[in-house]
Amino acid sequence: MFRYTCLNPIAQTGLDGFSENYQKTEELNDADAILVRSAKMHEMELPKSVCAIARAGAGVNNIPLGKYADQGIVVFNTPGANANGVKELVFAGMLLAARDIIGGANWTKGQTENPDVTAAAEKEKKKFAGTELLGKKLGIIGLGAIGVKVANAAKHLGMEVYGYDPYVSVDAAWNLSRDVKHVLNVEDIYENCDIITIHVPLLDSTKGMINKEAISKMKDGVILLNFARDLLADEKDVLEGIKAGKIRKYVSDFPNPTTAGQEGCIVIPHLGASTEESEDNCAKMAVKEMMNYLENGNIVNSVNYPSLD
C-alpha cells in the first residue's frame, strides 16, 4: 500500500487514476509520495518515507530539486499537459494588446446612463482602434511544448513566425511547422518582430533576459508577452520602454507590484493553465508518472534524475 498527500488541490479526475493500492493521507509524515502544484517547498523538511514528488504543471521553481535529489527523492513534472490552455491565452493576450478591447469595453461600461450610447460609440471607437495580427512578424523565444503550439497556430492566422531555441528537442522539431523561420540568434527576434512572446524556463541564464539592452534592439512599438515567468523580464526596464514609446504593450500572466495597474501593461491573474482541461491533464499525467515509478521503478519526465526504463 502506497500513501500519498496533496499539498494543493489536485483535480479529482487525476486522483481517480490511482489503483486500490494507493491511499490518500492528510499527514505529510505518513506519505510515500507528494502531489503538488504551487506550494512552496524550499523550506519544507520531508520525512524519510517520501521518495517521489509529482508537480502537476511544468514549472518547478517552487521545489528544491538538488536538495531532494541528494535525499533520493525523484521529482516529476508534466510538460505539455497544460500547453493548449496557455497557447490559447497567449493569443488572447495578443488580441488584447493589438486592439484596445479592454479600453473599449471599459468605455462602454461607463455608458449605462447614456441613452445615445450607440451614436456615442461611433464617435469614440476610433480611440480604441488597433491593428490586426495578419501579416505581423511574431517572434517566439523557446520552442518547447507551448512555443511550438503558438508557432503553428500563428501560421494559420497568417503571421510570419520566427522561432529561437538553441536547445530545441527532436520531438519539438518534428511537430514544428516547416514554415516557421528557425533563427540562430535571439537578436534576430528582437530586431525583426512586431510581437515577441517568451516560453523558456526560469534559469540563471534566462533570468532578466528581457532587459534594457534587449529592449533597445527591438522595433519601436513592439508588443511583449510573458506567459512563462515574470522574472524572465526586468520589468522596471519594461516600464521604461513603455514610457519611452518603445514598447506598445506588455502582457504578463504574473501580477506583482511592479506591473499591476501600470500604464501600458495588461496583467492577467495567472490564468495560463487555469482551465478545467489543463488541470485535469496535469493531474492525470502526474499520477501516471508517480505510479509508474513507485510500482515499476521507471522514471519519465523527472527534473532532477535521468530517465530510466
Side-chain angles (χ1 to χ4, degrees), residues 3-24:
R3 291 165 297 182
Y4 70 91
T5 192
C6 302
L7 299 185
N8 300 105
I10 302 296
Q12 187 60 45
T13 185
L15 300 183
D16 289 343
F18 281 121
S19 69
E20 65 275 6
N21 294 323
Y22 291 81
Q23 183 179 68
K24 186 177 181 180

Side-chain angles (χ1 to χ4, degrees), residues 140-265:
I140 302 171
I141 302 174
L143 294 171
I146 297 169
V148 166
K149 284 184 176 293
V150 171
N152 293 343
K155 289 301 301 180
H156 291 296
L157 289 176
M159 303 183 80
E160 187 176 342
V161 183
Y162 294 70
Y164 170 77
D165 192 332
Y167 309 108
V168 63
S169 70
V170 174
D171 286 343
W174 274 110
N175 291 322
L176 189 65
S177 168
R178 64 182 180 180
D179 295 324
V180 173
K181 299 178 181 179
H182 191 198
V183 300
L184 301 179
N185 192 327
V186 70
E187 293 187 1
D188 291 335
I189 298 283
Y190 298 153
E191 294 170 1
N192 291 294
C193 294
D194 307 295
I195 303 171
I196 298 174
T197 182
I198 316 164
H199 300 287
V200 298
L202 179 61
L203 306 170
D204 289 341
S205 58
T206 59
K207 185 176 181 180
M209 64 180 294
I210 304 299
N211 52 26
K212 185 176 295 186
E213 181 182 0
I215 292 168
S216 69
K217 299 173 183 176
M218 297 178 188
K219 297 174 69 172
D220 291 344
V222 67
I223 291 173
L224 295 180
L225 301 108
N226 185 356
F227 287 82
R229 285 290 180 269
D230 53 350
L231 294 179
L232 293 169
D234 185 326
E235 294 186 327
K236 292 183 178 178
D237 288 350
V238 170
L239 293 181
E240 289 183 10
I242 292 171
K243 291 178 181 177
K246 186 73 173 179
I247 298 172
R248 178 174 162 190
K249 292 286 184 182
Y250 175 63
V251 186
S252 170
D253 199 27
F254 308 98
N256 61 50
T258 303
T259 55
Q262 293 296 318
E263 187 73 24
C265 295

Side-chain angles (χ1 to χ4, degrees), residues 1-216:
M1 178 70 70
F2 296 105
R3 291 165 297 182
Y4 70 91
T5 192
C6 302
L7 299 185
N8 300 105
I10 302 296
Q12 187 60 45
T13 185
L15 300 183
D16 289 343
F18 281 121
S19 69
E20 65 275 6
N21 294 323
Y22 291 81
Q23 183 179 68
K24 186 177 181 180
T25 176
E26 301 300 326
E27 297 296 328
L28 178 61
N29 288 332
D30 294 336
D32 302 302
I34 295 172
L35 288 163
V36 62
R37 291 177 65 194
S38 58
K40 294 178 171 57
M41 301 186 69
H42 286 275
E43 304 302 322
M44 294 181 66
E45 292 298 328
L46 303 183
K48 292 183 178 180
S49 60
V50 172
C51 56
I53 297 170
R55 157 77 165 101
V60 289
N61 54 308
N62 58 318
I63 304 172
L65 304 180
K67 173 184 174 181
Y68 290 160
D70 291 341
Q71 295 176 11
I73 302 171
V74 182
V75 180
F76 301 91
N77 71 342
T78 58
N82 58 13
N84 189 70
V86 178
K87 177 207 76 176
E88 291 185 2
L89 197 63
V90 168
F91 282 98
M94 284 189 212
L95 291 167
L96 291 174
R99 308 181 70 171
D100 192 6
I101 299 169
I102 294 176
N106 287 339
W107 177 85
T108 304
K109 188 176 181 179
Q111 301 300 309
T112 54
E113 304 298 326
N114 185 357
D116 297 320
V117 61
T118 303
E122 291 302 316
K123 294 180 180 179
E124 295 292 324
K125 67 181 183 180
K126 60 186 177 183
K127 295 180 180 178
F128 312 111
T131 55
E132 299 179 11
L133 300 183
L134 179 68
K136 298 300 184 295
K137 294 180 179 179
L138 172 66
I140 302 171
I141 302 174
L143 294 171
I146 297 169
V148 166
K149 284 184 176 293
V150 171
N152 293 343
K155 289 301 301 180
H156 291 296
L157 289 176
M159 303 183 80
E160 187 176 342
V161 183
Y162 294 70
Y164 170 77
D165 192 332
Y167 309 108
V168 63
S169 70
V170 174
D171 286 343
W174 274 110
N175 291 322
L176 189 65
S177 168
R178 64 182 180 180
D179 295 324
V180 173
K181 299 178 181 179
H182 191 198
V183 300
L184 301 179
N185 192 327
V186 70
E187 293 187 1
D188 291 335
I189 298 283
Y190 298 153
E191 294 170 1
N192 291 294
C193 294
D194 307 295
I195 303 171
I196 298 174
T197 182
I198 316 164
H199 300 287
V200 298
L202 179 61
L203 306 170
D204 289 341
S205 58
T206 59
K207 185 176 181 180
M209 64 180 294
I210 304 299
N211 52 26
K212 185 176 295 186
E213 181 182 0
I215 292 168
S216 69

